[in-house]
Structures are given as C-alpha cells and as structure tokens.
Amino acid sequence: MQSHQKHFFERPIVLENMNTQTRVVIATVLSLLVFIGYDYFFMPKPTPQAEGNRTVRSESAGKPVTHRENSVSPSATSEKVTAKPVAQSAGEASALNGVVATIETSNATIEFDALGRISQVYLKDRQYRTEEGEELKLFNDPRIPKPLEIRFSDPTLNELAFKTPYRVSASRIDVKGDRPETVTFTQNLNGFVVEKRVTIYPDHHYDVEIEMSEPKPYFISPGYRPDLRIDNYTVHGVMVEEADGTLTIIDDGDAKGTEAFRKARIAVAFDRYYATALYDFDNGMEVVVNKDAEENPILFVKEEGAKRTLHGYIGPKEYRILHAIHPELTKIIEFGWFTFIAAPMFKVLMWLHSFIPNWGWAIVVLTLLIRVILYPLTYKGMVSMHRLKQLQPKIKEIQAKYKGDPQKMNAHMMELYKKHKANPLGGCLPMLLQIPVFFAIYRVLLNAIELKGAPWILWIHDLSVMDPYYVLPVLMGASMWLHQRVTPSNFTDPMQEKIFKWLPVVFTFFFVTFPAGLVLYWLTNNIFSVAQQLMINRMLEKQPKAE
C-alpha cells in the first residue's frame, strides 16, 4: 500500500510533460466544445410561430400544448396570477379582441383592442422589415397577456372586466414630430370605473396612468415577450432589475413558480432583438413572475392603489434609442456572462461606427484594435513557445535519461526551465486569457440589432445572418490553416498533429451558419494574426539559441 502511494505521488505532473502545442490543441478543442455546448444547451431551437388555434411544441418539456386564441379569460389571485378558460361566444371574442384604436408614429404603428391592451406593434423602419419588405409584427403568438392588460385579484370583478369593453377617446391618432399624444380608455364595471391614459412617444416608449374610482388590488403586465423566432440564436425570457441593481434573468422553460421582486426598477420580456417592458426608476415596482403551462415566465406588476403611473417600452433593443429615453434602459441589452467585457466593447464598436458608417468595416477596425491591445499577451506567448521549442532536444534528453525516476525528471526539467526563463504554461496561458474576449465579441455581434439589415460589401447585405454563399466561412477556414502554417509547431505526438491540422475544417463547418458579422470578425482576426505571427517570427529568429 505504501509503495503504491509513493509511486502515485512521484508520478510526473501530466501538464508539465505536455508540450506547448499539445496544450494549445487541448485549449482550442475545449473552447470549441464550450462554444458549441453553450449554443446547444442554452440557445433554444426555433419552433413554428403560433397563428390562430393551433398546437406548438413546448421548448421545456417537448410536450404539445394547445393555445386557443380569443377563448381564454384570465383570472387572478392576490398571490399568484393564473389564466383559466371562461365561456365566451365567438361574437364576444371577436368584439373584445378587435382593433379599436390605432396610433401612428414615425417609427411604428400601435394597435389597441377593446380591453385597452396593445394587441400589435408594427415597426416601420426599413432595417426591421421582413424579407418580403413588409412591416415587422412584434407579436405573432396569440398567448396572453398582452401589454397593458389588467387582471384583478377579485375573481368576480376580473371576470366582468374581461367581458366589458373599454370606451376609447379616439380611434386613430397621428404622433407628429417629437410631440407625444394621449389616448384614454375608460371601463365601467357596474359603477366601478377604470381609466387608462396612455401617452405615446415617437421613440417606442409610452407612459400609462391608471386611475380607478376606488382602490382595488390588481396586476398589470408589460405583455408576453415578442415572438420572432428567426434562427437558432433566438433567445426568449424575462429580466428584472431589482432595487439594488441586481439583474435576474429567467429564460423560457426555466420558470419554476411565482417569484416576487420588491421595488424593482425594470421588468422586461424579450427575445434576441426586441423587448416589451415596464419601468419606474423613481418609485420602483412590485414585480411578480409567474409561469405558463410550458414553464415560460410571465411578468406582472402588482398594484393596490387607486392611481398609478408607469413607463413602458415596446420596440427594438437598440442602444441609441434606449439611451436617449433613459440611460438605465440600456440594461435591457444583455450580453451574458461576459457583459463586463462585452458592454465596453459594444460601446467602442458604436463609437467606431460614428466615424465609419459601415458596420462591416467598423468590425474590421475593432478587430485590429483588439489585436493591438492583446499584442503583449500574444508576443509573450510566442516567445515562450519559441523558447520551449529550442529546449525540446534537452527536454527529450532528460526524459530519456531519467525515464525510471519521475521525481528526478521533474526536478531537472524545472531547473532547465528556470535556467532559460521558460514557462511551460507561458505558451497557452496568454491564449486562454483571450478566450473571454472572443466570447464577449461573439455576444456583441450576436445580440446587436444594429447589425440587422446592415450591409458590408458585395454579397453581404445583412451582417446579422449567415453568408448565403459560404464565402466568409471558407475564407475563415483558409486563413486559419494559413495561420497554422506560419506558426512554429513542436508536436511530438502524430495524432495530436493530425487533430490540430483538421481544426480549420471543423471550424469552417461550424461557422457556416454563424452570422456574417461574427465570421467577418474571426476572418479578420486570423488575417491580422498571420501578419502578426510573421512579424514575431522574424523577431525571434534574431534571438540567440538556447545552449
């Protein structure tokens, strides 16, 4: 037993016996696995859009769930908001869900139904139009709640509210210039009066003032998130900013029950590019998150007073628009785990675009800046790899000489590293430190709606979608192969060398479906890396060899 323990502790450390190229291969493969695994496990796959009465497949459990448009009337309790079917004739359903007011702004068309809810929003900007050139509809899923929907805690009152249409002050309003316009909805529930005054601004945000003839506990919702399942990268969910600034994100399929947030500042339901939100930075909100039958989160704001004013937003998650409304609203744009790196990087990209009016060339320049900033790390890694390559003959001699004595082998190798100031981890550690930068730029280029519909050159008409002719992925793979050719290698295992040589092919296939903007970044990064490598190679050739 003792001899076994002695043999175990005297084994050479595996990491130390790996050459630098092996570590790079392992780091690259692991990074790729993490990259792919994140998309596979955390990015929901697209499902058919819901239209009318039909069945869609649950993203959480894979079970079919039927959503019946215009045939459910929500009911609420004081602790939990739920939805239960209520008998309703076809005529009643048609009347309550029909459009009773239309607000036209320079950027959008907003429709309200007879229950004082925002039933549809059409985006007018050319950037957001469909492939057929039609205005983009934000809500394609018939599931409730809709934005500005009110549910009362009293079941009897709530049922009456969902059967009683509002009176509207105007059926059509045009918001001209920067001047907002107000539309008023009034509902009489057997003497109990509810009034909603909605003030629409031309930049997708609005104010809603709710006034009741007497205090009654109720819930109001920013609505079910926009449902534009456009590709494999589409993410859905809700986000709540708490009073202390903490951001809580609940993805579709992850809602476990009722959650309450006191004095929350923002409550937003979102997908990749669009969002619907309620916010109050001055007084805060009592936010309740429920789940639907598919365990998707549903947002509500709980109120008990007779009068309340909230602010809302429905539209694209575009930084410029959100920042102009309120700087805090830019938190709606979320970049995942690496937000602390991605957010500043996104601001730099926007700053570059203010001088370079082409997002593609702005990405190229951003890539160059990143390479310049990371140059010290890259150079340090290359120098360390070069020194280790020079020491390979001596390392092999030590390994052969002390093959039967792992303890002495390690001691002599450490002495060799120390004498020549070589770090066995120095080659791959700087490269590993660059991985968060790649993930950050990945999230920036994936989530930035600014790239939607943004052309680069020639055949690239939209940087947010894949290259239709696969030119960029192929060039990216070729540049990766070229980078391998000019990078000194010191493989000792033929199998590792074969794996490393196949990496450009593997990356090319995975990048085929990636947004063109992301592939452009990677291609540009490879081109600059080749140039940088050639320069470093010339510098290292002038250094004296290790003796």
Side-chain angles (χ1 to χ4, degrees), residues 53 112 134 173-174 192 265 325 335 449 454 467 505:
N53 294 347
F112 290 82
E134 299 175 351
I173 296 178
D174 292 328
F192 174 73
R265 293 157 54 83
I325 297 170
F335 296 110
I449 193 173
D467 182 343
V505 178

Side-chain angles (χ1 to χ4, degrees), residues 71-349:
S71 64
V72 290
S73 175
S75 63
T77 67
S78 59
E79 296 181 355
K80 184 177 181 180
V81 188
T82 58
K84 296 181 180 179
V86 172
Q88 207 172 66
S89 68
E92 288 176 333
S94 177
L96 293 173
N97 288 276
V99 177
V100 298
T102 301
I103 312 298
E104 294 283 353
T105 75
S106 57
N107 298 315
T109 300
I110 305 169
E111 294 178 346
F112 290 82
D113 64 18
L115 292 179
R117 307 175 298 187
I118 296 177
S119 57
Q120 190 57 266
V121 175
Y122 297 87
L123 299 184
K124 295 181 179 180
D125 291 349
R126 184 177 299 276
Q127 177 185 1
Y128 310 127
R129 290 182 179 268
T130 65
E131 294 179 357
E132 293 76 23
E134 299 175 351
E135 293 181 358
L136 189 68
K137 293 195 303 181
L138 288 188
F139 302 106
N140 298 291
D141 195 319
R143 285 179 284 192
I144 48 179
K146 297 178 180 179
L148 299 185
E149 179 174 303
I150 289 179
R151 302 185 183 184
F152 290 96
S153 297
D154 182 339
T156 303
L157 181 62
N158 188 67
E159 183 172 345
L160 178 61
F162 274 88
K163 292 183 177 181
T164 306
Y166 281 74
R167 289 184 291 103
V168 61
S169 61
S171 61
R172 183 177 182 86
I173 296 178
D174 292 328
V175 180
K176 299 178 180 179
D178 296 330
R179 186 169 59 87
E181 296 287 349
T182 299
V183 58
T184 302
F185 297 89
T186 306
Q187 186 181 46
N188 192 323
L189 304 175
N190 294 336
F192 174 73
V193 180
V194 180
E195 187 173 87
K196 291 183 194 174
R197 287 184 290 274
V198 185
T199 302
I200 304 291
Y201 296 81
D203 55 3
H204 303 288
H205 91 281
Y206 61 87
D207 300 329
V208 55
E209 184 179 349
I210 303 161
E211 188 170 357
M212 300 182 182
S213 56
E214 61 179 282
K216 295 280 187 181
Y218 67 93
F219 299 85
I220 184 169
S221 177
Y224 200 76
R225 50 54 178 170
D227 189 67
L228 300 170
R229 296 177 176 151
I230 50 179
D231 52 36
N232 288 336
Y233 307 105
T234 301
V235 290
H236 293 144
V238 303
M239 183 186 77
V240 178
E241 184 192 14
E242 300 182 51
D244 61 357
T246 301
L247 296 178
T248 299
I249 298 173
I250 306 174
D251 295 328
D252 275 6
D254 290 342
K256 302 305 178 186
T258 302
E259 298 183 55
F261 300 86
R262 306 296 181 189
K263 297 296 181 181
R265 293 157 54 83
I266 303 174
V268 56
F270 64 89
D271 71 355
R272 177 183 174 188
Y273 284 145
Y274 308 97
T276 175
L278 289 176
Y279 59 95
D280 188 341
F281 297 116
D282 297 324
N283 304 309
M285 305 174 294
E286 304 298 309
V287 174
V288 177
V289 180
N290 284 165
K291 66 175 182 178
D292 64 9
E294 301 175 26
E295 296 189 346
N296 299 323
I298 309 293
L299 283 173
F300 292 90
V301 174
K302 182 180 179 182
E303 294 295 338
E304 296 183 351
K307 191 173 182 179
R308 181 68 156 103
T309 299
L310 293 169
H311 312 286
Y313 178 85
I314 300 180
K317 296 193 294 185
E318 188 171 340
Y319 185 92
R320 175 185 56 83
I321 296 174
L322 294 170
H323 189 272
I325 297 170
H326 196 293
E328 293 289 321
L329 275 182
T330 57
K331 293 178 181 178
I332 290 176
I333 307 171
E334 202 272 329
F335 296 110
W337 295 344
F338 295 101
T339 297
F340 67 98
I341 301 176
M345 197 175 294
F346 178 57
K347 292 180 181 179
V348 172
L349 180 62

Side-chain angles (χ1 to χ4, degrees), residues 359-469:
W359 283 106
W361 291 118
I363 290 172
V364 171
V365 176
L366 175 66
T367 310
L368 176 60
L369 289 177
I370 292 173
R371 294 303 308 178
V372 170
I373 293 172
L374 295 178
Y375 176 76
L377 281 176
T378 304
Y379 179 74
K380 185 177 180 181
M382 291 298 104
V383 170
S384 182
M385 290 178 66
H386 181 72
R387 287 176 180 170
L388 289 173
K389 183 179 179 181
Q390 289 182 327
L391 293 176
Q392 277 301 306
K394 294 183 180 292
I395 291 174
K396 289 182 179 179
E397 287 180 12
I398 293 174
Q399 289 174 338
K401 185 175 181 180
Y402 299 101
K403 186 176 181 180
D405 194 340
Q407 200 170 36
K408 286 188 177 180
M409 181 194 297
N410 280 341
H412 281 80
M413 288 179 67
M414 290 299 101
E415 185 179 346
L416 181 67
Y417 293 148
K418 185 176 180 181
K419 178 181 177 181
H420 294 281
K421 298 180 179 179
N423 184 352
L425 296 177
C428 71
L429 197 57
M431 297 180 185
L432 288 174
L433 292 175
Q434 297 180 41
I435 292 174
V437 176
F438 169 72
F439 276 103
I441 193 68
Y442 163 72
R443 296 299 300 180
V444 166
L445 299 180
L446 183 67
N447 288 357
I449 193 173
E450 286 79 0
L451 299 185
K452 181 173 173 57
W456 179 39
I457 57 173
L458 301 176
W459 70 99
I460 303 297
H461 303 298
D462 189 345
L463 288 166
S464 69
V465 300
M466 60 180 284
D467 182 343
Y469 303 112

